[in-house]
Amino acid sequence: MRPDGTLLMEFGSLGSSGGQFMNASGIALDSKGNIFVTDPFKQQVMEFTSAGIFVGAIGSEGTDAGQFEGPLGIVIDKDNTIYVADGRNGRVQKFSGAGNYLGSIGSAGTAEGQLGGPRWLALDGKGNIYILDNTRFRVNKFTTGGTFVSAFGSQGNRDSQFFNPQGIAVDPAGNVFVMDGLVVKKFDPSGHLLTSFGKQQISSGLGIALDPKGRIYVARNGPACVSIFRPVP
């Protein structure tokens, strides 16, 4: 899709065969333009060329290394390492660009640095990964090597708390944007709330992304559209 919203192409169809989707969820691109899509119903990550041609799939259902139980969020770093939020297994799994298993970040549990239900991911430019844990209503920060750094957030209706977090993004300055129900919340790199916006413009937010100019894109469920916001100071 072009920046003005013009549809360029679409690919995929409903089904269980290779290249078909049961529930396409997360999406990310590597440096070569290949497209990776998570499907939590098929317990896979599927790879397509930039032209939408199916290349192959990563993963299967299970709890072993390289298997998934509800994969959702996906991000790819500058080295084409793939990170996938493995929700019900309480971890983030790492794969090479060729789909080979490299390791995992985090483990299931309630202690600091453990994960309850990781769903959405974001990378900064300093080798850190931010994991939005919907079960524990918090953002966990790890190095991409798997070392726990910090966490912020809790369940509640206060400005700095989360009610229904559904997406995360990080800007070049390290500020963290979280889509929480009807609002977008912006936090500084230490997890302190800076501002929030969108309550009147967002009826049901499902995801968030930033472009190089700092514009904020919010996927909405009602009505089904994408809203674009100017950079927030």
Side-chain angles (χ1 to χ4, degrees):
M1 186 172 289
R2 293 192 178 97
D4 65 1
T6 303
L7 180 67
L8 294 176
M9 59 170 282
E10 57 185 8
F11 60 90
S13 60
L14 180 64
S16 58
S17 299
Q20 292 186 305
F21 301 118
M22 296 295 290
N23 184 22
S25 295
I27 187 169
L29 276 69
D30 68 12
S31 64
K32 301 175 183 177
N34 297 309
I35 304 162
F36 294 79
V37 182
T38 60
D39 190 324
F41 284 15
K42 296 179 71 173
Q43 311 294 352
Q44 289 182 334
V45 176
M46 287 181 280
E47 179 184 357
F48 300 83
T49 68
S50 58
I53 299 170
F54 178 61
V55 176
I58 301 169
S60 60
E61 184 174 8
T63 59
D64 291 339
Q67 293 185 310
F68 298 118
E69 288 289 349
L72 284 173
I74 181 171
V75 290
I76 301 175
D77 68 18
K78 59 182 178 58
D79 297 319
N80 289 330
T81 301
I82 304 164
Y83 303 81
V84 182
D86 187 10
R88 291 192 295 276
N89 284 328
R91 62 191 178 186
V92 173
Q93 298 204 68
K94 297 169 57 177
F95 299 86
S96 70
N100 298 314
Y101 175 75
L102 298 177
S104 63
I105 298 171
S107 60
T110 58
E112 186 175 66
Q114 291 188 304
L115 305 171
R119 295 190 68 178
W120 306 112
L121 308 174
L123 295 167
D124 64 15
K126 300 179 181 179
N128 299 305
I129 185 167
Y130 296 76
I131 304 169
L132 182 57
D133 190 333
N134 291 56
T135 302
R136 298 185 66 192
F137 297 88
R138 67 190 308 175
V139 174
N140 289 275
K141 179 181 179 180
F142 289 79
T143 68
T144 53
T147 301
F148 174 70
V149 178
S150 61
F152 65 88
S154 61
Q155 184 177 13
N157 293 315
R158 294 181 180 177
D159 290 344
S160 60
Q161 293 180 307
F162 298 124
F163 172 72
N164 184 28
Q166 290 293 333
I168 186 169
V170 180
D171 69 15
N175 298 307
V176 182
F177 295 76
V178 178
M179 183 70 247
D180 186 29
L182 305 181
V183 300
V184 174
K185 297 181 178 181
K186 180 181 179 180
F187 298 84
D188 70 16
S190 298
H192 299 111
L193 182 69
L194 296 175
T195 188
S196 62
F197 61 93
K199 188 170 184 179
Q200 302 302 319
Q201 298 95 339
I202 302 171
S203 54
S204 180
L206 291 176
I208 185 170
L210 306 177
D211 71 12
K213 296 182 179 180
R215 290 175 296 199
I216 302 150
Y217 297 76
V218 175
R220 298 168 57 188
N221 189 33
C225 66
V226 174
S227 295
I228 305 172
F229 295 87
R230 293 186 180 91
V232 178

